[in-house]
Amino acid sequence: VQLQASGGGLVQAGGSLRLSCVASGRTFSSYAMGWFRQAPGKEREFVAGISTGGWTSYADSVKGRFTISRDNAKRMVYLQMNSLKPEDSAVYYCAAVTGGYYITVPRGDDQYVYWGQGTQVTVSS
């Protein structure tokens, strides 16, 4: 599967952005999807994930501010980001993995197999 992320940009602190990721292929519903981010000089970190059954998981740093969702018919996963902070600035990546994730949401980047190219999010103070 190929993933294409979009929706990044420059926004002021307190603002909102919605990231989108479209997947190729006909079996999108069988993939657990995740969003990760990587800031300069830092390791890539888990942001949010959604299982094939619709269960979600969030990093503590974004809980209550970010919402992940999926539209299987459109082969899309979204990350709605509200109340953005400068520390949310990073390149955001969507990722996918298939197999056994109906309820469980994978949170490790080594659990994901397919990765998109990343989209830059910059939050100014």
Side-chain angles (χ1 to χ4, degrees):
V1 63
Q2 292 184 322
L3 305 173
Q4 180 77 31
S6 61
L10 174 64
V11 64
Q12 288 189 332
S16 299
L17 281 175
R18 188 175 83 153
L19 304 184
S20 300
C21 178
V22 61
S24 65
R26 300 180 181 178
T27 59
F28 177 76
S29 60
S30 69
Y31 289 86
M33 302 297 298
W35 286 98
F36 290 76
R37 67 187 181 188
Q38 188 168 22
K42 295 188 176 181
E43 293 187 354
R44 187 164 57 188
E45 64 175 356
F46 173 81
V47 176
I50 186 165
S51 72
T52 58
W55 273 260
T56 59
S57 180
Y58 297 92
D60 288 344
S61 59
V62 308
K63 203 170 292 184
R65 301 187 297 122
F66 290 11
T67 303
I68 188 171
S69 61
R70 66 189 298 159
D71 185 333
N72 289 338
K74 295 182 178 179
R75 304 195 312 275
M76 298 285 292
V77 63
Y78 305 98
L79 185 67
Q80 178 66 44
M81 305 186 295
N82 299 329
S83 302
L84 282 162
K85 305 175 181 179
E87 51 264 42
D88 294 318
S89 297
V91 177
Y92 283 71
Y93 299 90
C94 61
V97 62
T98 189
Y101 293 111
Y102 183 77
I103 295 176
T104 303
V105 178
R107 295 171 60 96
D109 60 357
D110 58 345
Q111 294 178 278
Y112 287 84
V113 176
Y114 305 99
W115 292 84
Q117 85 291 358
T119 185
Q120 177 72 48
V121 172
T122 303
V123 184
S124 62
S125 57

PDB file of all heavy atoms in Angstrom, residues 20-44:
ATOM      1  N   SER A  20      -4.537  14.814   6.411  1.00  0.00           N
ATOM      2  CA  SER A  20      -5.203  13.725   5.703  1.00  0.00           C
ATOM      3  C   SER A  20      -4.161  12.777   5.154  1.00  0.00           C
ATOM      4  O   SER A  20      -3.034  13.178   4.841  1.00  0.00           O
ATOM      5  CB  SER A  20      -6.038  14.271   4.551  1.00  0.00           C
ATOM      6  OG  SER A  20      -7.029  15.166   5.004  1.00  0.00           O
ATOM      7  N   CYS A  21      -4.544  11.539   5.035  1.00  0.00           N
ATOM      8  CA  CYS A  21      -3.663  10.525   4.450  1.00  0.00           C
ATOM      9  C   CYS A  21      -4.524   9.596   3.613  1.00  0.00           C
ATOM     10  O   CYS A  21      -5.475   8.999   4.116  1.00  0.00           O
ATOM     11  CB  CYS A  21      -2.950   9.758   5.557  1.00  0.00           C
ATOM     12  SG  CYS A  21      -1.875   8.428   4.976  1.00  0.00           S
ATOM     13  N   VAL A  22      -4.191   9.505   2.333  1.00  0.00           N
ATOM     14  CA  VAL A  22      -4.933   8.623   1.437  1.00  0.00           C
ATOM     15  C   VAL A  22      -4.064   7.408   1.125  1.00  0.00           C
ATOM     16  O   VAL A  22      -2.845   7.521   0.962  1.00  0.00           O
ATOM     17  CB  VAL A  22      -5.346   9.361   0.146  1.00  0.00           C
ATOM     18  CG1 VAL A  22      -4.139   9.853  -0.629  1.00  0.00           C
ATOM     19  CG2 VAL A  22      -6.231   8.475  -0.710  1.00  0.00           C
ATOM     20  N   ALA A  23      -4.703   6.264   1.079  1.00  0.00           N
ATOM     21  CA  ALA A  23      -3.993   5.018   0.830  1.00  0.00           C
ATOM     22  C   ALA A  23      -4.418   4.421  -0.505  1.00  0.00           C
ATOM     23  O   ALA A  23      -5.581   4.516  -0.904  1.00  0.00           O
ATOM     24  CB  ALA A  23      -4.279   4.025   1.947  1.00  0.00           C
ATOM     25  N   SER A  24      -3.477   3.804  -1.155  1.00  0.00           N
ATOM     26  CA  SER A  24      -3.795   3.081  -2.379  1.00  0.00           C
ATOM     27  C   SER A  24      -4.264   1.682  -2.014  1.00  0.00           C
ATOM     28  O   SER A  24      -4.153   1.247  -0.870  1.00  0.00           O
ATOM     29  CB  SER A  24      -2.564   3.009  -3.275  1.00  0.00           C
ATOM     30  OG  SER A  24      -1.550   2.241  -2.640  1.00  0.00           O
ATOM     31  N   GLY A  25      -4.784   0.972  -2.974  1.00  0.00           N
ATOM     32  CA  GLY A  25      -5.174  -0.410  -2.714  1.00  0.00           C
ATOM     33  C   GLY A  25      -6.619  -0.553  -2.319  1.00  0.00           C
ATOM     34  O   GLY A  25      -7.285   0.405  -1.959  1.00  0.00           O
ATOM     35  N   ARG A  26      -7.114  -1.788  -2.347  1.00  0.00           N
ATOM     36  CA  ARG A  26      -8.529  -2.062  -2.134  1.00  0.00           C
ATOM     37  C   ARG A  26      -8.845  -2.584  -0.745  1.00  0.00           C
ATOM     38  O   ARG A  26      -9.999  -2.775  -0.413  1.00  0.00           O
ATOM     39  CB  ARG A  26      -9.010  -3.092  -3.169  1.00  0.00           C
ATOM     40  CG  ARG A  26      -8.853  -2.648  -4.594  1.00  0.00           C
ATOM     41  CD  ARG A  26      -9.350  -3.719  -5.553  1.00  0.00           C
ATOM     42  NE  ARG A  26      -9.194  -3.313  -6.945  1.00  0.00           N
ATOM     43  CZ  ARG A  26      -9.513  -4.077  -7.979  1.00  0.00           C
ATOM     44  NH1 ARG A  26     -10.020  -5.278  -7.766  1.00  0.00           N
ATOM     45  NH2 ARG A  26      -9.350  -3.638  -9.202  1.00  0.00           N
ATOM     46  N   THR A  27      -7.815  -2.815   0.074  1.00  0.00           N
ATOM     47  CA  THR A  27      -8.046  -3.447   1.374  1.00  0.00           C
ATOM     48  C   THR A  27      -7.752  -2.509   2.517  1.00  0.00           C
ATOM     49  O   THR A  27      -7.279  -2.917   3.569  1.00  0.00           O
ATOM     50  CB  THR A  27      -7.193  -4.713   1.499  1.00  0.00           C
ATOM     51  OG1 THR A  27      -5.805  -4.344   1.354  1.00  0.00           O
ATOM     52  CG2 THR A  27      -7.569  -5.740   0.464  1.00  0.00           C
ATOM     53  N   PHE A  28      -8.041  -1.232   2.326  1.00  0.00           N
ATOM     54  CA  PHE A  28      -7.721  -0.237   3.344  1.00  0.00           C
ATOM     55  C   PHE A  28      -8.340  -0.590   4.686  1.00  0.00           C
ATOM     56  O   PHE A  28      -7.739  -0.368   5.738  1.00  0.00           O
ATOM     57  CB  PHE A  28      -8.206   1.142   2.885  1.00  0.00           C
ATOM     58  CG  PHE A  28      -7.989   2.223   3.896  1.00  0.00           C
ATOM     59  CD1 PHE A  28      -6.724   2.755   4.095  1.00  0.00           C
ATOM     60  CD2 PHE A  28      -9.040   2.723   4.656  1.00  0.00           C
ATOM     61  CE1 PHE A  28      -6.511   3.755   5.020  1.00  0.00           C
ATOM     62  CE2 PHE A  28      -8.840   3.723   5.587  1.00  0.00           C
ATOM     63  CZ  PHE A  28      -7.567   4.246   5.772  1.00  0.00           C
ATOM     64  N   SER A  29      -9.539  -1.135   4.676  1.00  0.00           N
ATOM     65  CA  SER A  29     -10.239  -1.433   5.930  1.00  0.00           C
ATOM     66  C   SER A  29      -9.507  -2.474   6.784  1.00  0.00           C
ATOM     67  O   SER A  29      -9.785  -2.603   7.973  1.00  0.00           O
ATOM     68  CB  SER A  29     -11.658  -1.907   5.649  1.00  0.00           C
ATOM     69  OG  SER A  29     -11.630  -3.085   4.866  1.00  0.00           O
ATOM     70  N   SER A  30      -8.589  -3.208   6.195  1.00  0.00           N
ATOM     71  CA  SER A  30      -7.856  -4.226   6.934  1.00  0.00           C
ATOM     72  C   SER A  30      -6.569  -3.701   7.569  1.00  0.00           C
ATOM     73  O   SER A  30      -5.839  -4.462   8.206  1.00  0.00           O
ATOM     74  CB  SER A  30      -7.513  -5.408   6.023  1.00  0.00           C
ATOM     75  OG  SER A  30      -6.558  -5.024   5.051  1.00  0.00           O
ATOM     76  N   TYR A  31      -6.306  -2.413   7.411  1.00  0.00           N
ATOM     77  CA  TYR A  31      -5.086  -1.810   7.943  1.00  0.00           C
ATOM     78  C   TYR A  31      -5.378  -0.977   9.183  1.00  0.00           C
ATOM     79  O   TYR A  31      -6.275  -0.128   9.176  1.00  0.00           O
ATOM     80  CB  TYR A  31      -4.423  -0.903   6.901  1.00  0.00           C
ATOM     81  CG  TYR A  31      -3.789  -1.651   5.757  1.00  0.00           C
ATOM     82  CD1 TYR A  31      -4.525  -2.020   4.642  1.00  0.00           C
ATOM     83  CD2 TYR A  31      -2.448  -2.009   5.813  1.00  0.00           C
ATOM     84  CE1 TYR A  31      -3.952  -2.717   3.601  1.00  0.00           C
ATOM     85  CE2 TYR A  31      -1.860  -2.716   4.772  1.00  0.00           C
ATOM     86  CZ  TYR A  31      -2.614  -3.056   3.672  1.00  0.00           C
ATOM     87  OH  TYR A  31      -2.042  -3.755   2.651  1.00  0.00           O
ATOM     88  N   ALA A  32      -4.596  -1.221  10.222  1.00  0.00           N
ATOM     89  CA  ALA A  32      -4.539  -0.260  11.312  1.00  0.00           C
ATOM     90  C   ALA A  32      -3.692   0.915  10.837  1.00  0.00           C
ATOM     91  O   ALA A  32      -2.699   0.723  10.128  1.00  0.00           O
ATOM     92  CB  ALA A  32      -3.932  -0.885  12.558  1.00  0.00           C
ATOM     93  N   MET A  33      -4.090   2.118  11.235  1.00  0.00           N
ATOM     94  CA  MET A  33      -3.438   3.324  10.761  1.00  0.00           C
ATOM     95  C   MET A  33      -2.898   4.128  11.936  1.00  0.00           C
ATOM     96  O   MET A  33      -3.496   4.176  13.015  1.00  0.00           O
ATOM     97  CB  MET A  33      -4.415   4.186   9.977  1.00  0.00           C
ATOM     98  CG  MET A  33      -5.039   3.498   8.781  1.00  0.00           C
ATOM     99  SD  MET A  33      -3.837   3.043   7.528  1.00  0.00           S
ATOM    100  CE  MET A  33      -3.198   4.658   7.046  1.00  0.00           C
ATOM    101  N   GLY A  34      -1.782   4.784  11.699  1.00  0.00           N
ATOM    102  CA  GLY A  34      -1.197   5.591  12.755  1.00  0.00           C
ATOM    103  C   GLY A  34      -0.621   6.890  12.223  1.00  0.00           C
ATOM    104  O   GLY A  34      -0.321   7.000  11.029  1.00  0.00           O
ATOM    105  N   TRP A  35      -0.527   7.851  13.110  1.00  0.00           N
ATOM    106  CA  TRP A  35       0.180   9.098  12.828  1.00  0.00           C
ATOM    107  C   TRP A  35       1.366   9.190  13.788  1.00  0.00           C
ATOM    108  O   TRP A  35       1.210   8.968  14.990  1.00  0.00           O
ATOM    109  CB  TRP A  35      -0.723  10.308  13.024  1.00  0.00           C
ATOM    110  CG  TRP A  35      -1.739  10.507  11.953  1.00  0.00           C
ATOM    111  CD1 TRP A  35      -3.052  10.128  11.976  1.00  0.00           C
ATOM    112  CD2 TRP A  35      -1.536  11.156  10.692  1.00  0.00           C
ATOM    113  NE1 TRP A  35      -3.672  10.490  10.805  1.00  0.00           N
ATOM    114  CE2 TRP A  35      -2.764  11.121  10.001  1.00  0.00           C
ATOM    115  CE3 TRP A  35      -0.431  11.750  10.066  1.00  0.00           C
ATOM    116  CZ2 TRP A  35      -2.923  11.660   8.724  1.00  0.00           C
ATOM    117  CZ3 TRP A  35      -0.593  12.288   8.809  1.00  0.00           C
ATOM    118  CH2 TRP A  35      -1.829  12.248   8.148  1.00  0.00           C
ATOM    119  N   PHE A  36       2.499   9.528  13.233  1.00  0.00           N
ATOM    120  CA  PHE A  36       3.718   9.749  13.998  1.00  0.00           C
ATOM    121  C   PHE A  36       4.251  11.131  13.642  1.00  0.00           C
ATOM    122  O   PHE A  36       3.854  11.725  12.651  1.00  0.00           O
ATOM    123  CB  PHE A  36       4.774   8.691  13.657  1.00  0.00           C
ATOM    124  CG  PHE A  36       4.448   7.313  14.168  1.00  0.00           C
ATOM    125  CD1 PHE A  36       3.503   6.525  13.542  1.00  0.00           C
ATOM    126  CD2 PHE A  36       5.097   6.808  15.289  1.00  0.00           C
ATOM    127  CE1 PHE A  36       3.192   5.253  14.021  1.00  0.00           C
ATOM    128  CE2 PHE A  36       4.805   5.542  15.772  1.00  0.00           C
ATOM    129  CZ  PHE A  36       3.854   4.766  15.138  1.00  0.00           C
ATOM    130  N   ARG A  37       5.157  11.623  14.460  1.00  0.00           N
ATOM    131  CA  ARG A  37       5.801  12.896  14.146  1.00  0.00           C
ATOM    132  C   ARG A  37       7.257  12.865  14.564  1.00  0.00           C
ATOM    133  O   ARG A  37       7.648  12.120  15.454  1.00  0.00           O
ATOM    134  CB  ARG A  37       5.076  14.063  14.824  1.00  0.00           C
ATOM    135  CG  ARG A  37       5.163  14.070  16.343  1.00  0.00           C
ATOM    136  CD  ARG A  37       4.264  15.167  16.913  1.00  0.00           C
ATOM    137  NE  ARG A  37       4.332  15.224  18.373  1.00  0.00           N
ATOM    138  CZ  ARG A  37       3.541  15.988  19.112  1.00  0.00           C
ATOM    139  NH1 ARG A  37       2.600  16.754  18.560  1.00  0.00           N
ATOM    140  NH2 ARG A  37       3.675  15.983  20.439  1.00  0.00           N
ATOM    141  N   GLN A  38       8.027  13.693  13.882  1.00  0.00           N
ATOM    142  CA  GLN A  38       9.449  13.800  14.203  1.00  0.00           C
ATOM    143  C   GLN A  38       9.877  15.246  14.097  1.00  0.00           C
ATOM    144  O   GLN A  38       9.767  15.862  13.029  1.00  0.00           O
ATOM    145  CB  GLN A  38      10.302  12.932  13.278  1.00  0.00           C
ATOM    146  CG  GLN A  38      11.758  12.867  13.689  1.00  0.00           C
ATOM    147  CD  GLN A  38      12.522  11.789  12.959  1.00  0.00           C
ATOM    148  OE1 GLN A  38      12.124  11.340  11.877  1.00  0.00           O
ATOM    149  NE2 GLN A  38      13.616  11.337  13.544  1.00  0.00           N
ATOM    150  N   ALA A  39      10.331  15.775  15.209  1.00  0.00           N
ATOM    151  CA  ALA A  39      10.855  17.141  15.254  1.00  0.00           C
ATOM    152  C   ALA A  39      12.372  17.094  15.060  1.00  0.00           C
ATOM    153  O   ALA A  39      13.002  16.055  15.326  1.00  0.00           O
ATOM    154  CB  ALA A  39      10.509  17.786  16.587  1.00  0.00           C
ATOM    155  N   PRO A  40      12.977  18.176  14.617  1.00  0.00           N
ATOM    156  CA  PRO A  40      14.430  18.193  14.399  1.00  0.00           C
ATOM    157  C   PRO A  40      15.194  17.800  15.657  1.00  0.00           C
ATOM    158  O   PRO A  40      14.928  18.316  16.753  1.00  0.00           O
ATOM    159  CB  PRO A  40      14.706  19.645  14.016  1.00  0.00           C
ATOM    160  CG  PRO A  40      13.424  20.122  13.418  1.00  0.00           C
ATOM    161  CD  PRO A  40      12.348  19.440  14.198  1.00  0.00           C
ATOM    162  N   GLY A  41      16.109  16.860  15.502  1.00  0.00           N
ATOM    163  CA  GLY A  41      16.931  16.440  16.626  1.00  0.00           C
ATOM    164  C   GLY A  41      16.257  15.487  17.590  1.00  0.00           C
ATOM    165  O   GLY A  41      16.843  15.134  18.616  1.00  0.00           O
ATOM    166  N   LYS A  42      15.032  15.102  17.280  1.00  0.00           N
ATOM    167  CA  LYS A  42      14.291  14.198  18.168  1.00  0.00           C
ATOM    168  C   LYS A  42      13.928  12.918  17.440  1.00  0.00           C
ATOM    169  O   LYS A  42      13.908  12.866  16.212  1.00  0.00           O
ATOM    170  CB  LYS A  42      13.031  14.882  18.691  1.00  0.00           C
ATOM    171  CG  LYS A  42      13.312  16.081  19.592  1.00  0.00           C
ATOM    172  CD  LYS A  42      12.036  16.590  20.219  1.00  0.00           C
ATOM    173  CE  LYS A  42      12.317  17.740  21.197  1.00  0.00           C
ATOM    174  NZ  LYS A  42      11.066  18.231  21.848  1.00  0.00           N
ATOM    175  N   GLU A  43      13.627  11.893  18.221  1.00  0.00           N
ATOM    176  CA  GLU A  43      13.194  10.644  17.632  1.00  0.00           C
ATOM    177  C   GLU A  43      11.740  10.734  17.179  1.00  0.00           C
ATOM    178  O   GLU A  43      10.966  11.532  17.704  1.00  0.00           O
ATOM    179  CB  GLU A  43      13.364   9.502  18.645  1.00  0.00           C
ATOM    180  CG  GLU A  43      14.802   9.195  18.993  1.00  0.00           C
ATOM    181  CD  GLU A  43      14.931   7.951  19.864  1.00  0.00           C
ATOM    182  OE1 GLU A  43      13.906   7.410  20.287  1.00  0.00           O
ATOM    183  OE2 GLU A  43      16.076   7.531  20.113  1.00  0.00           O
ATOM    184  N   ARG A  44      11.415   9.904  16.234  1.00  0.00           N
ATOM    185  CA  ARG A  44      10.032   9.826  15.783  1.00  0.00           C
ATOM    186  C   ARG A  44       9.165   9.280  16.925  1.00  0.00           C
ATOM    187  O   ARG A  44       9.556   8.334  17.614  1.00  0.00           O
ATOM    188  CB  ARG A  44       9.939   8.922  14.558  1.00  0.00           C
ATOM    189  CG  ARG A  44       8.577   8.880  13.894  1.00  0.00           C
ATOM    190  CD  ARG A  44       8.681   8.290  12.499  1.00  0.00           C
ATOM    191  NE  ARG A  44       9.262   6.959  12.503  1.00  0.00           N
ATOM    192  CZ  ARG A  44       9.602   6.305  11.394  1.00  0.00           C
ATOM    193  NH1 ARG A  44       9.419   6.871  10.214  1.00  0.00           N
ATOM    194  NH2 ARG A  44      10.107   5.089  11.471  1.00  0.00           N
TER     195      ARG A  44
END
